[in-house]
Amino acid sequence: MTTRLLCISNGHGEDEIALRILSELRSRHPAVEMAALPLVGVGSSFVNQQIPLIAATQTLPSGGFIYMDSRQLARDLKGGLVQLTLRQLKALKQWAREGGTVLAVGDVIPAAFAWWSGLPYAVIGTAKSAYYLRDEQGPLPDLPWYAGWAGSMYLPWERWLMSRDRCRAAIVRDELTRGELQQLGVPQVFAGNPMMDGLDPTAQLSALKPDAAETLTVALLPGSRSPEAYANWQLIVTAMDSVLSQFAPRAVQFFGAIAPALDLTELQSGLAAAGWQPDPRHPQTQFTKAQGQVVLTQTAYADCLQAADTAIAMAGTATEQFVGLGKPAFITPGAGPQFNPTFAKLQTRLLGSSVVLVPNTEDIGGKMAQVLADGDRLDAIRQNGQRRLGPPGAAAAIAQILAAQLLEIPAQSAESTAAPTRQESA
């Protein structure tokens, strides 16, 4: 009998995490019939992987960041949020009539949708972590008075959704959070973070990597959403001048990891205004100024993260992935809607010592020099990032959990359908 699985997600990053898990699940259990209900955006990532959508999609003004700014909620309401939600709920009920299981990836909204379906479900929490409130040593200092009132970043109604009999697995992003939820009575809670999967380099930048060991390499992470990423880029360009000035005459190579959906001409204009000159051999993607070189790429994201010593970052997922590789990132707040001062402060709590919040971009070069000169601090940053983000292989491990807990596929079935050359992840 074919098992039906509906994936509900609420954001671009959540879509990508979901797809990593679904891909692992499909490779082991190709008979599972998959469908998707993306609550934010158009869901093109699912369609590209031949996972059909069960409802029409719509892009709202906030891009999914209504929690960062109440004004974004007002814009979304005017843009049709209520009507879209009602259509999505109706499509969910129609899909659920034929039975199956539901995988919720994101926050409380997809989890509530999964519960409302009336079917067995699993929840993958992609954003919340105990690290926002504490670390292994105890509560963080200088938290707002209201922080932690519920005993966890997962609020009582979220824990209620995770504790229902029909919730067969709750998967959170780190061991600290898993232990916290277990103490609060959430059963069947597991830890796994697919964010570090799929970051193997492709050698696309191998010809551009500096031969000299003394060259400083810096990843530039402006974010993926337009128009915010273009405004972020202007701040990053100012920070680049700070780095060049601080490290002169040392050579500096900047790798710009640019989302495919962004228009490179906008970024090129920002570089030109700051005095960067196009390389005659690669005038669209390579630029020089003083002892610095910029390389822009829209196809070698993982290579940028792997090649860089450090990063200037104004992104969510990309910053976390860079930190997970054990490297320091320097962040500065923008105007949002995502990477605003509130988000930047929260990111420092989530990622701890691995990120350095610098309010003024002109100061980034000096802060970077201080950190990179401190070997003990770099060792602590390396260990911190790897502990908070976890090792690669989580998508495969989560797929195994879902097969056993949600889909109730016997272990021998998993062995018979798994690719013979693939190593299973513990």
Side-chain angles (χ1 to χ4, degrees), residues 179-218:
E180 177 181 272
L181 290 180
Q182 279 187 325
Q183 291 181 356
L184 291 169
V186 177
Q188 303 286 32
V189 59
F190 306 87
N193 187 0
M195 207 173 278
M196 298 310 298
D197 291 348
L199 293 180
D200 294 331
T202 63
Q204 291 187 56
L205 298 182
S206 57
L208 298 172
K209 289 183 65 175
D211 294 328
E214 63 270 16
T215 298
L216 175 66
T217 54
V218 183

Side-chain angles (χ1 to χ4, degrees), residues 401-426:
I401 292 169
L402 295 176
Q405 303 293 128
L406 179 62
L407 302 175
E408 298 182 340
I409 298 174
Q412 59 269 27
S413 175
E415 293 172 0
S416 65
T417 58
T421 58
R422 195 182 192 91
Q423 289 189 348
E424 300 293 328
S425 295

Side-chain angles (χ1 to χ4, degrees), residues 359-393:
N360 298 313
T361 53
E362 297 87 351
D363 298 331
I364 284 182
K367 294 292 185 182
M368 187 178 291
Q370 290 176 15
V371 173
L372 295 181
D374 189 336
D376 291 340
R377 187 170 179 179
L378 290 176
D379 286 341
I381 285 172
R382 186 176 304 109
Q383 296 170 20
N384 176 72
Q386 293 170 350
R387 180 173 61 252
R388 295 194 185 213
L389 275 297

